[in-house]
Amino acid sequence: MPAAKTMLSLLAGALAATSFLPAAAAIPYSEYILAPSQRVLTPVSVHRANGSVTNPSGLTIDGSGHTVLTSVSAITYDYGVNIGGLVSFTVGAVNGSNNFIGIAFSESSFWIAPDASDATQNVGLDEILWYPVNKPGNYSVDNAHQRGGFRYLSLHHNSSGSVALSSVATAFTAMPHYANDAMRDYTGYFHCNNEQLNRVWYAAAYTDQLCTIPSTSGNSLVDLVANDSSIPTFWYSNSTLTNGTSALVDGAKRDKLIWPGDFSISLPGVFLSTNDQYTLKLSVAQLFAEQNASTGQLRYAADTLHPGQPAGQFFSGLNQVYSYTYHLYNLLALNNYYVYSGDLEFLQQNWYRFNFGLNYSLTSVDMTGLAFVAKNATADWLRVGMGAHNIEANSILAYTLTRAMNLANAVGDTSQNARWQSYYDNIVSAANELLWDESAGLFTDNQTTTLHPQDGNSWAVISGVANSTRAATVSSALHFRWGPYGAPAPEAGTTISPFISGFELQAHYIAGQPQYANALMEYMWGDFMLDDPRMTNSTFNEDYDVSGALHYPAYADDARISHAHGWSTGPLLALTNYAAGLHVINSSTWLVQPQPGNLTSVEAGFTTAIGTFSATYSSGNGPTAYSFQTPAGTTGTVILSGISGSLRSSNGTMVLLVSGMAENVAGGNWTLVASGGSMLGGNGGANGSYAGGNGSSPKPVPYTGGTAKTSVSVLALIAVACVLVL
């Protein structure tokens, strides 16, 4: 494959200057890792062929000989998993004149079309990339059309002649600063007795990897200048996102931009799986680079250093948008970066900006004690009804205040801590007085509605706005609403949001009901999002409908839905932090509190600049067995609810558990010495089985609904594709 090798050699040259990873030691449970072992990828099978195609399997990894496309014909190849990169093909022979080969992409088999790719914009499908082929040779897609997410690659031929192809390959471009053979060098791992949860953890990690893209391959969002949904839309991926070689973005296919809301899920996930601190620092820095110097307002999405073609007008409009919640997510991104990296210098450099931004948010707090979200600040994750004394906005503000006080301690500037604590206490009091609905066991969205949002109630538990009693009530009420495809987000119509459901997972753990979290991850992320045949079976999609349709009410064009979205990777954080019990508080402090629920064995670990954390839990038929490792020079708290006994360090030191707790435990290797056959408690009900309010099975029924809502032109294209298959 000469073309692919040429492209790869160029890419490898660029990587050599920025690859900082040492040779990896043996990586636990590497058999689950979905990332490729090298960058030149070849299709694994033929998905389908239409028209006159000779030897279609010749271009697959096990194929041989030339593949010949004659007259109007096409082949769709399957890479087996979602990938991203630059495509090349080699022409061995040409018969006739005016031959063209077209390249099209799709993450889902649902959107494979006869004359287009799936969508990156909101105005219809993306156009095919056509290449004139008049002689043998190597042909490559240009850098401006690097496709960040696709499992299916279609090759089209549209003349009366024929073209013989000897190879097709993709140069994998995710994780661009990693060595060509280092994409599988994980620094984190997870394993438990539930195989579906193991697969979910690694699919989440791989999703975050695909969302780590070359910094010059951001989405150019051409829907600002292309608005005719009756024809496929031109597209580019050539805006510059950071001052380095990489960026963590929302989605691999789109938007390919730095959104702070997504970072509340994906940023910790990256630290816990690949520890790509370089990319995270670049991306967080870009979030703060364009803070309004007069007000302290932070961006809804990070600006681009170079907008590419033709995104400039998009950003001139987007960056006039103020999102109350995403402004706070910017602040939380800095907090999460510091917590896992221990990069005090970076925190100190941005401490003034953090203070400035937080105090800007506090100007919205009125005499009730709650923040009032004005009409010009209601942009959010495309939910509706944001505004007024909103429970989501106030709960995120409350949580940010708690993080601010911790960061203030780290930098040695606690001058505002008492003030921030007062704001926090007032939010907690007012939210419970004004927004709690006792009859529903949930908080209302605001004082003017009876809607009980998933986002606000999840955040109320995470932030401590809901006390332990109400947290358990909220957890049970959210669980009761589950349908056959997952947890609904009624604040966004008929949407199921993996983003917000990631916060719901945390809420169930915090409420002491981990069996609900385990069940939701198993059937929503595993049985449906990972195993449904319309999915990539390797990465997690952005959103879908409660009916199981690949429809997101916020979009006019459902083919636009991203099938590799970092905000959908909440199980990674949930399983490592909560099920295994490994919580990093800051660079010197940690909390070990395993909540395995109905799991009988759990292993997890990760390494950051702070050091290595790991834990192993098992119950079986005997007493609880638990051991953990935390970095030397740190201290922490251990909570083993229901356990009597002691902790024994590797040097023989014993620490007595008092009511299942030990404080000021030194970093090191520790093993539980349980007494009296005690078992880990606080893990919720019987067996974690799903018992939703409508009595549905935890196993999603196969989706049998009609086509998703989209434009007439897209439906027509899909109909034509179905005819061609038949």
Side-chain angles (χ1 to χ4, degrees), residues 119-138:
T120 57
Q121 316 306 322
N122 206 24
V123 292
L125 298 178
D126 286 359
E127 67 180 1
I128 290 177
L129 304 177
W130 287 104
Y131 296 89
V133 176
N134 296 315
K135 61 181 180 180
N138 304 321

Side-chain angles (χ1 to χ4, degrees), residues 534-550:
R534 296 165 299 157
M535 308 300 187
T536 70
N537 311 128
S538 54
T539 54
F540 292 124
N541 60 312
E542 179 181 13
D543 290 279
Y544 54 95
D545 191 81
V546 294
S547 68
L550 296 184

